[in-house]
């Protein structure tokens, strides 16, 4: 129980960290591109710490907190579908950008080095990469909660749900990772969206969708954490 508590606590904290990274960048881009900022507001937007706190707090109050008040996790299924749809849209736009854009959308510094091999079987830090992928696909702690939300719970139906879910997640992951790596190779960033120009409006839309998807995914992890706290 204690180990599960630590795992789920780490999950919800990680979600907030990622949410803060992406959302603060989105707010900064929107503020610079679509608003006429005076010196004091520009200084506030440039303050990464204050902007990060403000964006995380706003998303938590407006989106995350109301969804965390549901008593039954099954109430989140519609929001989970919206989250999956937003994630699929992110993958689709990234795939289109990888196919039709050049390999240097963010300037010369983002261009891959053609003198280096375009593919290496093992990168510089395979342990970290494997850890991130393994962490992403770990959902054993939520299995019982999700099983109880099935219309007619059975082993056969649960097997189908888990198989289809994992295959969908794997497909979305590969459709993002492979074209992204082929496009930027050794210059690919941990966050693929950082490889694209900040002035690209469709990438800004993708960032907004990604923030929306993350915010809608957070309550599921919180439900598990809340149940563990109740048991302890």
């Amino acid at each position: 129980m204690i180990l599960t508590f630590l795992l789920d606590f780490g999950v919800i904290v990680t979600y907030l960290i990622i949410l803060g990274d992406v959302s603060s960048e989105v707010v900064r881009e929107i503020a610079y591109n679509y608003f006429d900022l005076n010196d004091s507001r520009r200084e506030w937007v440039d303050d990464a710490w204050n902007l990060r706190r403000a964006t995380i707090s706003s998303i938590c109050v407006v989106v995350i907190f109301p969804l965390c008040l549901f008593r039954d996790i099954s109430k989140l299924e519609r929001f989970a579908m919206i989250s999956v749809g937003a994630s699929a849209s992110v993958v689709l736009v990234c795939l289109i950008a990888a196919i039709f854009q050049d390999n240097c959308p963010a300037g010369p510094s983002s261009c891959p080095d053609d003198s280096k091999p375009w593919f290496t079987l093992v990168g510089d830090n395979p342990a970290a990469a494997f850890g991130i992928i393994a962490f992403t696909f770990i959902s054993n702690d939520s299995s019982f909660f999700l099983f109880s939300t099935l219309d007619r719970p059975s082993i056969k139906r649960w097997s189908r749900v888990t198989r289809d879910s994992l295959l969908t997640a794997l497909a979305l992951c590969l459709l993002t990772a492979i074209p992204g790596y082929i496009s930027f190779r050794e210059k690919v960033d941990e966050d693929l969206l950082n490889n694209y120009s900040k002035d690209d409006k469709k990438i800004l839309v993708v960032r907004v969708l990604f923030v929306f998807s993350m915010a809608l995914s957070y309550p599921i992890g919180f439900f598990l954490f809340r149940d563990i706290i109740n048991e302890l």
Side-chain angles (χ1 to χ4, degrees):
M1 184 67 72
I2 298 297
L3 293 177
T4 306
F5 167 84
L6 293 175
L7 172 64
D8 289 320
F9 178 76
V11 168
I12 60 177
V13 170
T14 303
Y15 263 80
L16 290 180
I17 292 173
I18 299 174
L19 195 60
D21 289 340
V22 181
S23 61
S24 58
E25 189 64 33
V26 168
V27 172
R28 185 178 291 108
E29 291 180 22
I30 293 176
Y32 274 118
N33 293 329
Y34 299 99
F35 293 93
D36 186 16
L37 303 177
N38 56 34
D39 292 339
S40 61
R41 292 180 178 178
R42 187 179 296 273
E43 183 179 352
W44 188 87
V45 170
D46 288 335
D47 189 335
W49 176 244
N50 285 332
L51 182 61
R52 185 186 183 90
R53 287 192 301 175
T55 53
I56 292 177
S57 299
S58 300
I59 293 172
C60 286
V61 171
V62 175
V63 180
I64 294 177
F65 179 69
L67 297 180
C68 290
L69 295 178
F70 286 122
R71 185 175 182 178
D72 187 358
I73 196 174
S74 63
K75 302 293 184 182
L76 296 175
E77 61 182 28
R78 291 185 178 86
F79 299 100
M81 287 299 298
I82 296 174
S83 177
V84 172
S87 299
S89 301
V90 170
V91 172
L92 179 62
V93 174
C94 288
L95 184 61
I96 293 174
I99 294 174
F100 294 103
Q101 282 191 349
D102 59 69
N103 290 354
C104 310
S109 61
S110 65
C111 296
D113 188 354
D114 292 332
S115 64
K116 294 183 178 180
W118 72 273
F119 176 76
T120 54
L121 184 61
V122 180
D124 296 331
N125 196 356
F130 180 80
I132 293 172
I133 295 174
F135 178 79
T136 303
F137 280 88
I138 288 176
S139 58
N140 57 294
D141 52 347
S142 62
S143 298
F144 293 107
F145 281 94
L146 300 179
F147 178 80
S148 64
T149 64
L150 293 178
D151 187 24
R152 294 182 300 277
S154 66
I155 299 300
K156 183 178 180 180
R157 288 173 62 83
W158 179 244
S159 298
R160 180 181 177 184
V161 168
T162 53
R163 182 188 67 245
D164 293 349
S165 300
L166 286 173
L167 289 176
T168 302
L170 180 62
L172 292 177
C173 181
L174 293 177
L175 286 174
T176 306
I178 294 176
Y181 178 77
I182 291 176
S183 297
F184 304 108
R185 300 199 291 276
E186 79 283 352
K187 292 295 182 67
V188 68
D189 194 84
E190 291 87 349
D191 181 357
L192 179 62
L193 299 179
N194 289 339
N195 285 102
Y196 296 98
S197 173
K198 294 183 178 181
D199 298 327
D200 193 333
K201 290 183 174 58
K202 65 176 175 296
I203 298 301
L204 179 60
V205 172
V206 167
R207 290 182 184 274
V208 173
L209 288 174
F210 184 63
V211 170
F212 191 61
S213 176
M214 290 288 296
L216 293 180
S217 301
Y218 183 92
I220 294 179
F222 178 81
F223 263 79
L224 303 174
F225 186 72
R226 186 179 70 179
D227 184 71
I228 293 172
I229 291 292
N230 182 61
E231 292 295 328
L232 292 176

